[in-house]
Amino acid sequence: MKNNSEIWFSDQQTDSVSLNIRVTNQLYHGISEFQEIDVFQSESFGKFLVLDGEVLFSESDEFIYNEMVAHVPMAVHPHVKKVLIIGGGDGGVATEFTAYPEIEQIDVVEPDEQMVEVCREFFPESTRGFDDERVQISYQDGLRFVRGRENEYDIIINDATDPFGHSEGLFTKEFYGSCFRALKSDGIMVYQHGSPFFDEEESVFRSMHRKVFKTFPISRVYQAHVPTCSSGYWTFGFASKKYHPITDFDEQRWNERNIKTEYYTTSLHRAAFMLPRYVVDILHEEEH
Amino acid sequence: MKNNSEIWFSDQQTDSVSLNIRVTNQLYHGISEFQEIDVFQSESFGKFLVLDGEVLFSESDEFIYNEMVAHVPMAVHPHVKKVLIIGGGDGGVATEFTAYPEIEQIDVVEPDEQMVEVCREFFPESTRGFDDERVQISYQDGLRFVRGRENEYDIIINDATDPFGHSEGLFTKEFYGSCFRALKSDGIMVYQHGSPFFDEEESVFRSMHRKVFKTFPISRVYQAHVPTCSSGYWTFGFASKKYHPITDFDEQRWNERNIKTEYYTTSLHRAAFMLPRYVVDILHEEEH
């Protein structure tokens, strides 16, 4: 039956900007121990997951985020065996890593079990990595999980999104220090770096770079176009103990893997680190 | 006095997606011979111009568009004397070109004189190039202006936005052919190529590339993040008779000019031509 009502979901990007998406159905609504969880069906973005009123990802653009988070460090680090994904309850990033046969273990730490169950039910494509026997989900706080671990992971992904909500602890100097120690001596951490465009978000962007720049010897920022993110423009941090994202990038090795992608290419890899002048200037200002 | 009413302007990107901007005031409303013109004041985007209900540009992101349109061909073409801007009534692109002392003439063709007057009144920063004596505005149809001209311009910018509205003629094969003839034997045309992300816009994106690819020996697409554009992701066509946007790009020459930018850098120049896999695939499919 055709749905004649117009239902619009509004994703508030700042106090005065929102991305509005017409939805055909609300597929799920629930309140977990940690957050409010909604799943909507839409024409333009397919199904999308909403946590506490904010879009976490949509079927039509999650590939951009997942590929840029997973393939960039994998095309740099020459021998990855153990990966940790903090806050990866939607499974998208873990699934991307399962494409690499040399990886032996992928630990996913996600406090919210209900969120994982909702994703399993409504986003089987994203969560299919959870069925890979190398993937282990721990339902606990990311900060607690990583604290005290030493010299264990080749790659750590901080997939948590919200510097103000229940994942606040994942954006502190202490957390970045714990990740540094949990990484092997040639480990790489990739983390969400937010969007620098709106004035309201610039201070978080600055503070993240300041903290990580002081903790890791190599700290670079790269970008992608993710329509459901704030202003459609998202950045990622590449923090590393040894490998540089461009000079240690092995284009040929990655291309020989023949991994099918929709966004990432090895040309785009280099290009993603070339940032607009205003972003370069912001980052430089925090590097002292 | 504080404005307590919540007024939201809705920029409809597709039938089921809109970017909503809270406005503090409507500064102008008028109906010209060609279109409805509005100017709003907002917190997140500053002042912004709306034509027939769609955002044309905002104070806070126009620099991205203007710089990427002007500096990319200028960093490639070695001796530019004469530039034509079709549909550049807001002045932003013309103003960017006035930064180059070697340019002798900048022709702006804009049918809507009222739109130019509104921009002069509310966007003095964008339109300040109109006061440069090298800039000549012709109030007429772009297609008619360019038709019949031969071997005259070094660079032509097609700044018109709307393949369906009153500027429809500026997206036809005939128009691209006229631009080809109006360019000198080493001329470059840069044009708006739209956004390939939403399914609704993909066919326009494809058809533009198909037409231009058949007309010009060199035809490449480059990208930028423009928040007020559809899905925040915008592309530009670089169509050229002789110069290639990467192999004929002279980084050192451009940097020696010391032109102040907020978005463009010579690193970003190269990077902007590295497109996501799904966009590369779409373009390849139209190249036969």
Side-chain angles (χ1 to χ4, degrees):
Chain A
M1 204 177 78
K2 198 178 173 316
N3 189 340
N4 286 309
S5 313
E6 286 220 8
I7 315 167
W8 287 80
F9 172 81
S10 177
D11 186 47
Q12 208 67 32
Q13 300 190 337
T14 73
D15 282 352
S16 48
V17 180
S18 67
L19 183 70
N20 288 20
I21 304 171
R22 187 173 172 169
V23 300
T24 45
N25 298 86
Q26 182 172 31
L27 300 174
Y28 178 84
H29 174 76
I31 297 174
S32 77
E33 197 188 331
F34 299 92
Q35 54 206 339
E36 196 179 347
I37 305 172
D38 289 285
V39 180
F40 295 99
Q41 177 77 54
S42 74
E43 201 185 300
S44 294
F45 289 105
K47 275 182 277 196
F48 60 97
L49 182 81
V50 173
L51 299 181
D52 285 338
E54 290 191 14
V55 176
L56 188 75
F57 69 89
S58 83
E59 277 183 333
S60 81
D61 72 349
E62 60 167 339
F63 72 97
I64 303 173
Y65 176 86
N66 295 334
E67 291 184 11
M68 290 305 277
V69 161
H71 300 315
V72 169
M74 286 304 295
V76 174
H77 198 300
H79 41 78
V80 177
K81 289 199 155 62
K82 208 167 166 187
V83 176
L84 170 61
I85 302 164
I86 296 168
D90 63 273
V93 175
T95 300
E96 217 63 55
F97 276 107
T98 61
Y100 295 87
E102 72 271 34
I103 296 178
E104 293 168 2
Q105 189 176 332
I106 301 168
D107 290 339
V108 174
V109 182
E110 167 61 56
D112 193 348
E113 187 166 359
Q114 188 171 336
M115 190 267 226
V116 174
E117 291 313 312
V118 171
C119 289
R120 273 185 188 277
E121 182 176 348
F122 294 100
F123 303 95
E125 198 50 39
S126 307
T127 50
R128 93 193 124 75
F130 288 158
D131 299 326
D132 188 297
E133 56 181 14
R134 296 168 293 170
V135 178
Q136 298 291 331
I137 312 182
S138 298
Y139 295 108
Q140 57 172 293
D141 177 67
L143 182 56
R144 200 170 310 161
F145 182 93
V146 81
R147 195 185 278 156
R149 289 180 188 254
E150 271 182 48
N151 194 30
E152 192 172 336
Y153 293 99
D154 302 299
I155 292 179
I156 296 179
I157 306 293
N158 182 8
D159 200 19
T161 48
D162 182 4
F164 303 115
H166 72 271
S167 54
E168 197 182 356
L170 304 180
F171 294 86
T172 59
K173 206 153 174 274
E174 189 215 334
F175 174 72
Y176 296 129
S178 297
C179 288
F180 185 89
R181 285 185 295 277
L183 283 169
K184 291 192 182 139
S185 61
D186 61 351
I188 298 170
M189 173 177 82
V190 167
Y191 59 104
Q192 300 218 42
H193 210 297
S195 182
F197 182 76
F198 291 120
D199 292 347
E200 291 90 327
E201 295 175 296
E202 194 185 305
S203 67
V204 172
F205 182 84
R206 282 180 182 275
S207 115
M208 255 191 266
H209 186 60
R210 198 164 52 235
K211 289 172 196 163
V212 177
F213 186 80
K214 280 185 182 150
T215 312
F216 284 82
I218 294 163
S219 166
R220 296 291 304 272
V221 172
Y222 63 104
Q223 63 183 8
H225 158 255
V226 187
T228 56
C229 287
S230 183
S231 87
Y233 180 44
W234 202 247
T235 65
F236 309 90
F238 181 104
S240 171
K241 291 186 172 183
K242 180 177 171 189
Y243 303 117
H244 187 279
I246 304 293
T247 54
D248 292 310
F249 164 49
D250 193 333
E251 186 162 358
Q252 196 191 339
R253 187 188 65 215
W254 195 86
N255 282 321
E256 280 168 3
R257 295 172 190 273
N258 281 317
I259 292 175
K260 200 178 152 2
T261 57
E262 286 180 83
Y263 194 84
Y264 180 84
T265 71
T266 47
S267 304
L268 197 72
H269 178 118
R270 277 180 224 283
F273 287 88
M274 305 304 156
L275 303 173
R277 168 67 62 207
Y278 77 97
V279 182
V280 172
D281 289 347
I282 287 174
L283 293 171
H284 278 171
E285 282 168 29
E286 303 304 326
E287 294 175 357
H288 45 72
Chain B
M1 203 177 80
K2 197 177 173 317
N3 189 341
N4 287 309
S5 312
E6 286 219 10
I7 315 168
W8 286 81
F9 172 81
S10 176
D11 186 47
Q12 207 68 31
Q13 298 190 340
T14 72
D15 282 352
S16 48
V17 180
S18 67
L19 182 70
N20 288 20
I21 305 170
R22 188 174 172 169
V23 299
T24 45
N25 297 88
Q26 182 173 33
L27 300 174
Y28 178 84
H29 174 76
I31 297 174
S32 76
E33 197 187 332
F34 299 92
Q35 55 206 337
E36 197 179 345
I37 305 172
D38 288 285
V39 179
F40 294 99
Q41 178 77 53
S42 73
E43 200 184 302
S44 294
F45 289 104
K47 276 183 274 194
F48 60 97
L49 182 79
V50 173
L51 299 181
D52 286 338
E54 290 190 15
V55 176
L56 188 74
F57 69 89
S58 83
E59 277 183 333
S60 81
D61 72 350
E62 61 167 339
F63 72 97
I64 303 173
Y65 177 85
N66 295 334
E67 290 184 13
M68 290 304 277
V69 161
H71 301 314
V72 169
M74 286 304 295
V76 173
H77 198 301
H79 40 77
V80 177
K81 289 199 153 63
K82 207 167 166 186
V83 175
L84 169 62
I85 302 164
I86 296 169
D90 63 274
V93 175
T95 300
E96 216 63 55
F97 277 107
T98 60
Y100 296 86
E102 73 271 36
I103 296 177
E104 292 168 2
Q105 189 176 331
I106 301 169
D107 290 338
V108 175
V109 182
E110 168 60 57
D112 193 348
E113 188 166 357
Q114 189 171 334
M115 190 267 226
V116 174
E117 291 313 311
V118 171
C119 289
R120 273 186 187 278
E121 184 175 347
F122 294 99
F123 304 94
E125 198 50 39
S126 307
T127 50
R128 94 194 122 77
F130 288 160
D131 299 326
D132 188 296
E133 57 180 15
R134 296 168 293 169
V135 178
Q136 299 290 331
I137 313 181
S138 298
Y139 297 108
Q140 57 173 292
D141 177 67
L143 183 56
R144 201 171 308 161
F145 182 92
V146 81
R147 194 185 278 156
R149 286 178 190 256
E150 271 182 48
N151 195 31
E152 193 172 335
Y153 293 98
D154 301 300
I155 292 178
I156 295 178
I157 306 292
N158 182 9
D159 200 20
T161 47
D162 181 5
F164 303 115
H166 73 270
S167 54
E168 196 181 0
L170 304 180
F171 293 87
T172 59
K173 206 156 174 271
E174 190 216 335
F175 173 73
Y176 297 129
S178 297
C179 287
F180 184 89
R181 284 186 297 277
L183 283 169
K184 291 193 184 140
S185 60
D186 60 352
I188 297 169
M189 174 177 84
V190 167
Y191 59 103
Q192 301 218 41
H193 210 298
S195 182
F197 182 76
F198 291 121
D199 292 347
E200 292 90 326
E201 295 175 296
E202 192 185 307
S203 68
V204 171
F205 182 84
R206 283 180 181 274
S207 116
M208 255 191 267
H209 187 59
R210 199 163 52 235
K211 289 172 196 163
V212 176
F213 186 80
K214 281 185 182 152
T215 311
F216 284 81
I218 294 163
S219 167
R220 297 289 306 273
V221 172
Y222 63 104
Q223 65 183 6
H225 158 255
V226 187
T228 57
C229 287
S230 183
S231 87
Y233 180 44
W234 202 247
T235 64
F236 308 90
F238 181 103
S240 171
K241 289 185 173 183
K242 181 177 169 189
Y243 303 117
H244 187 279
I246 304 293
T247 54
D248 292 311
F249 164 48
D250 193 333
E251 187 161 357
Q252 195 191 340
R253 188 187 64 214
W254 195 86
N255 282 320
E256 281 168 3
R257 295 172 189 273
N258 281 318
I259 291 175
K260 198 178 152 8
T261 58
E262 286 180 82
Y263 194 85
Y264 180 85
T265 71
T266 48
S267 304
L268 197 73
H269 178 119
R270 277 180 224 284
F273 287 88
M274 305 303 157
L275 304 172
R277 167 68 62 206
Y278 78 97
V279 182
V280 171
D281 289 347
I282 288 174
L283 293 171
H284 278 171
E285 282 168 28
E286 303 304 325
E287 294 175 358
H288 45 70

